[in-house]
Amino acid sequence: MELDSALGAPSREESSLSGELSPSALGQAFSKILHSLTRPEARRGNGKDVALKDLGDLIEATECDRLFEGSGARLRGMPETLGQVAKAVEKYAAPRKEEEGGGDGHSEVAEKAAKVGLLFLKLLGKVETAKNSLVGPAWQTGLHHLAGPVYIFAITHSLEQPWTTPRSREVAREVLTLLLQVTECSSVAGFLRGENEDEKGSLSVILGLLKPDLNKESWKNNPAIKHVFSWTLQQVTRPWLSQHLERVLPASLLISDDYQTENKILGVHCLHHIVLNVPAADLLQYNRAQVLYHAVFNHLYTPEHHLIQAVLLCLLDLFPILEKTLHWKGDGARPTTHCDEVLQLILTHMEPEHRLLLRRTYARNLPAFVKRLGILTVRHLKRLERVIIGYLEVYDGPEEEARLKILETLKLLMQHTWPRVSCRLVVLLKALLKLICDVARDPNLTPESVKSALLQEATDCLILLDHCSQGRVKVMVELGKFERKEFKSSSLQDGHTKMEEAPTHLNSFLKKEELTFHRKRKWELDSYPIMLWWSPLTGETGRLGQCGADACFFTINRTYLRHHMTKAFLFYGKQGFRLSPFVCCGLTPTLSYSLPLKSDGGAPLENTLTPLISFAFALWKAGAFSRYKKETSLAGRGGF
């Protein structure tokens, strides 16, 4: 055995080992063990296992004063030798490259880690004893060289990973606890940054140990390195992280710029932590913020919901830094920002997306973008409208996360862009009412709490929509009560539409033979005067309204503008309903009929629609309306 040859026969007696070894022999013994642990040819054999056992025996048998105190050149280099031995032992227990190790390889790594953990516990115990007995900086020098490798070992095997077992994780956590106790640190963060302002901490040493394994060629040789780096980075916050920015930013970019989704997510988390804990001035220096933005933005093209979630959160925190230098002078249009660019890409992906997890991820982050842009969201209003309507129509599972977030987005959108909402009243109202009907008809798929949340959010959206449209929502809802008869459209010979009744009878018309309907029996528009709603409030293409024995055909279809049976136009205003002829050349050139509103601002439709129909029918029968003249200027205005 090599150690026996170095120490001589008395080395087998642990009680006399420390007394018989000279300082030079002790240093030579550690050097031989270090050589056995680092030479490549011992990889396939059991030479490293033997060297590890000899190292444990040597540490246990040597007094702490022989390890950390003495005089002469050799003893001044003893702490450094111990650090190199600890580094070699940590490498011995590290997991191998992914393609080299399988299930058996992982179990072998866990066994090695348990042995190495017990050895580090012995070594840290010697440091604790030396700290309590020695006077001077000798033990502190030794601890400075030991702390880095011991910390890397503890983090590598304390996290739940494929190469760890409950036993190896328990030993590694004991090592980490004892390390914090020896260094007199209350937490890992204090160990890394320093407990006091005058202490430097161990982060620089640890990053120096990780650097050789965190380059483009070697960072995948040890699958634990990326996790140790990421976990360590997360423990250091502002203001301590900024002084290490040049060392942590390249490694984070390297991990994120990988083809594996797992590594992309890990790298984005590291970059996000840097964005949150490094001052904006440092990130803007040397254009680092732009580098971060482009590195993260490219991940939006990868359709993985975990990655998209991490990227969007990182970008939302990066936007204030990127836009810090943008100042609008007010003499022109505001320039588009990075937030505009990201939102445009998100909406492009959201429209055709059919995977529920991605839909939920996009919808979850959409309200934050609307808050960020504020009134500038009008730049994306058309596409946002399509996305909102499309997502409200699709059931999203029992939790309904996507639809709840879309309703929240709609509320924010109406609050920030209310001047542009009234022109989208009909579309948004239909979508909200359809959602309410779908939720109300859902028998048992959705929990009652989720239903209540959906209905509450939809109600809030309706209230906001009513305010944005100056009360028109109430009018349209009331008018919809009269649109309960369904008709099917077919084509007339003159190019206009004619209506078919749904499979029910209109009982109120059974008194007149010409108004009696049978299943699928068509009626001719030439039999009834046409009243054209010029303001398309009802959304109904055509229906018959009657009062007593009289009936008129009401529609919003402006193709009836020049139909010979079109007799009047209906408008809605704040003062009530107005019935006004188009252009008359008969007995009365202009006729109007106004009705008052209720005290609360709503129109008394149930009381006013009947006299309107009777009034219009009476005028038609009396010949008050004659054939209107062609007025191109009036028809071209699109409204009155």
Side-chain angles (χ1 to χ4, degrees):
M1 185 184 298
E2 296 182 12
L3 182 60
D4 292 340
S5 63
L7 303 179
S11 64
R12 299 182 184 276
E13 301 292 334
E14 293 182 357
S15 60
S16 61
L17 180 62
S18 58
E20 297 180 4
L21 279 180
S22 63
S24 59
L26 184 62
Q28 185 180 4
F30 277 113
S31 299
K32 286 185 173 293
I33 292 175
L34 176 63
H35 178 70
S36 299
L37 291 172
T38 55
R39 63 180 182 180
E41 58 269 16
R43 183 181 182 89
R44 295 193 181 97
N46 60 351
K48 290 188 177 182
D49 296 334
V50 174
L52 189 68
K53 184 177 182 304
D54 292 340
L55 178 61
D57 294 340
L58 181 61
I59 293 174
E60 188 174 356
T62 305
E63 297 294 335
C64 59
D65 57 341
R66 305 292 302 275
L67 291 174
F68 302 107
E69 189 179 40
S71 61
R74 284 193 177 273
L75 282 179
R76 284 198 297 268
M78 183 62 70
E80 184 178 352
T81 303
L82 283 176
Q84 293 176 355
V85 171
K87 188 188 304 183
V89 170
E90 184 273 322
K91 294 290 184 184
Y92 167 76
R96 293 178 292 178
K97 195 174 182 180
E98 282 120 348
E99 47 262 33
E100 293 182 6
D104 296 337
H106 288 329
S107 61
E108 181 183 351
V109 170
E111 293 176 2
K112 292 180 179 179
K115 296 177 182 179
V116 171
L118 295 176
L119 190 147
F120 278 144
L121 288 174
K122 294 179 182 179
L123 190 56
L124 290 175
K126 293 290 184 178
V127 177
E128 180 73 11
T129 304
K131 182 178 71 170
N132 296 329
S133 61
L134 295 180
V135 179
W139 67 271
Q140 295 178 352
T141 305
L143 182 60
H144 175 76
H145 289 88
L146 289 175
V150 172
Y151 170 85
I152 294 175
F153 164 81
I155 301 304
T156 299
H157 298 280
S158 63
L159 303 176
E160 188 170 353
Q161 296 294 341
W163 56 83
T164 63
T165 61
R167 171 58 181 164
S168 65
R169 289 194 292 269
E170 180 183 359
V171 173
R173 287 164 186 165
E174 291 178 4
V175 171
L176 182 60
T177 302
L178 185 56
L179 176 63
L180 296 179
Q181 178 182 339
V182 171
T183 56
E184 299 179 349
C185 296
S186 59
S187 63
V188 175
F191 169 75
L192 294 172
R193 67 172 186 253
E195 286 288 337
N196 302 317
E197 294 182 359
D198 55 344
E199 293 182 7
K200 291 182 60 177
S202 303
L203 182 60
S204 297
V205 176
I206 292 169
L207 290 177
L209 293 173
L210 295 176
K211 184 177 180 180
D213 295 324
L214 276 176
N215 56 62
K216 187 176 181 181
E217 290 76 21
S218 63
W219 74 279
K220 286 193 174 182
N221 292 337
N222 183 356
I225 286 295
K226 58 187 179 185
H227 297 288
V228 174
F229 171 79
S230 174
W231 195 88
T232 302
L233 179 65
Q234 300 288 333
Q235 308 305 311
V236 184
T237 57
R238 91 169 50 217
W240 298 277
L241 187 59
S242 58
Q243 56 186 320
H244 304 283
L245 179 60
E246 294 184 357
R247 306 180 73 176
V248 299
L249 182 58
S252 302
L253 290 171
L254 176 65
I255 296 174
S256 69
D257 187 23
D258 191 59
Y259 69 93
Q260 292 181 331
T261 303
E262 174 193 357
N263 295 333
K264 290 180 180 180
I265 296 173
L266 193 64
V268 170
H269 283 313
C270 293
L271 294 174
H272 190 193
H273 184 77
I274 292 173
V275 170
L276 292 174
N277 293 279
V278 174
D282 292 338
L283 291 176
L284 292 173
Q285 191 178 20
Y286 305 121
N287 219 21
R288 293 188 183 109
Q290 288 290 343
V291 173
L292 276 169
Y293 170 74
H294 289 292
V296 176
F297 177 81
N298 291 332
H299 293 315
L300 289 175
Y301 293 97
T302 304
E304 296 289 341
H305 67 280
H306 290 302
L307 177 61
I308 296 295
Q309 176 68 25
V311 168
L312 293 180
L313 292 178
C314 180
L315 287 173
L316 285 169
D317 289 321
L318 185 59
F319 290 147
I321 299 173
L322 292 168
E323 298 167 9
K324 186 178 286 289
T325 58
L326 297 179
H327 299 285
W328 181 50
K329 299 180 180 179
D331 54 354
R334 292 190 184 186
T336 57
T337 62
H338 298 86
C339 188
D340 287 299
E341 183 181 7
V342 174
L343 181 57
Q344 183 178 1
L345 182 61
I346 290 174
L347 295 175
T348 302
H349 291 168
M350 287 183 73
E351 281 192 78
E353 187 55 61
H354 64 279
R355 286 162 287 194
L356 288 179
L357 292 177
L358 275 173
R359 289 169 65 92
R360 292 169 187 166
T361 302
Y362 287 130
R364 189 183 304 123
N365 295 276
L366 199 55
F369 281 88
V370 177
K371 287 181 183 178
R372 176 69 192 166
L373 287 175
I375 186 62
L376 296 181
T377 315
V378 295
R379 295 170 176 170
H380 313 275
L381 204 52
K382 290 183 178 180
R383 185 166 288 179
L384 267 170
E385 176 189 324
R386 295 197 298 268
V387 168
I388 289 172
I389 293 173
Y391 274 57
L392 289 180
E393 292 176 350
V394 178
Y395 174 73
D396 186 47
E399 299 301 324
E400 292 282 14
E401 181 182 0
R403 290 210 277 196
L404 285 171
K405 288 298 180 180
I406 287 296
L407 287 172
E408 181 183 350
T409 303
L410 179 57
K411 286 200 302 184
L412 292 170
L413 188 66
M414 289 189 288
Q415 291 172 3
H416 290 291
T417 64
W418 60 267
R420 303 289 293 273
V421 173
S422 58
C423 60
R424 294 168 170 81
L425 172 62
V426 176
V427 177
L428 295 177
L429 181 58
K430 284 183 178 179
L432 290 172
L433 293 178
K434 186 177 184 300
L435 171 65
I436 293 174
C437 292
D438 292 343
V439 174
R441 293 173 181 175
D442 186 4
N444 51 14
L445 295 178
T446 306
E448 289 300 325
S449 59
V450 178
K451 284 185 180 181
S452 301
L454 279 173
L455 293 175
Q456 182 62 45
E457 291 291 327
T459 303
D460 294 342
C461 289
L462 285 174
I463 294 173
L464 277 175
L465 188 60
D466 186 60
H467 285 302
C468 294
S469 61
Q470 299 180 350
R472 291 171 61 190
V473 170
K474 297 177 183 178
V475 176
M476 294 183 67
V477 172
E478 292 293 335
L479 286 173
K481 295 178 181 179
F482 295 92
E483 311 301 331
R484 296 175 182 174
K485 304 300 179 181
E486 298 180 355
F487 296 89
K488 298 179 181 179
S489 300
S490 60
S491 179
L492 288 173
Q493 294 180 355
D494 59 358
H496 298 284
T497 59
K498 68 181 172 183
M499 309 302 294
E500 294 181 4
E501 191 199 9
T504 57
H505 296 286
L506 296 177
N507 297 326
S508 58
F509 293 149
L510 292 177
K511 296 181 180 180
K512 293 177 63 74
E513 183 179 358
E514 65 271 18
L515 294 179
T516 303
F517 293 97
H518 300 284
R519 190 181 301 273
K520 297 185 179 179
R521 179 177 176 181
K522 301 176 182 178
W523 54 274
E524 300 293 339
L525 287 177
D526 292 342
S527 304
Y528 309 102
I530 299 174
M531 303 298 165
L532 180 59
W533 278 101
W534 198 256
S535 300
L537 295 178
T538 64
E540 181 62 52
T541 56
R543 67 178 294 273
L544 281 178
Q546 62 89 29
C547 178
D550 302 324
C552 293
F553 178 68
F554 290 85
T555 182
I556 64 170
N557 191 348
R558 296 191 182 184
T559 59
Y560 290 103
L561 178 65
R562 303 189 184 281
H563 195 276
H564 67 279
M565 290 301 292
T566 301
K567 302 303 179 183
F569 297 87
L570 293 174
F571 297 87
Y572 174 74
K574 292 185 178 180
Q575 301 302 321
F577 287 91
R578 172 172 295 177
L579 182 63
S580 177
F582 187 45
V583 176
C584 300
C585 300
L587 298 177
T588 55
T590 303
L591 294 171
S592 64
Y593 182 71
S594 297
L595 294 170
L597 297 176
K598 287 182 178 179
S599 60
D600 59 353
L605 299 177
E606 298 179 359
N607 299 324
T608 60
L609 193 58
T610 295
L612 274 175
I613 298 172
S614 301
F615 178 71
F617 195 77
L619 291 177
W620 173 63
K621 294 185 70 175
F625 296 103
S626 63
R627 181 74 176 212
Y628 57 82
K629 290 183 179 180
K630 183 178 182 181
E631 295 287 346
T632 56
S633 62
L634 182 59
R637 281 200 293 267
F640 291 87

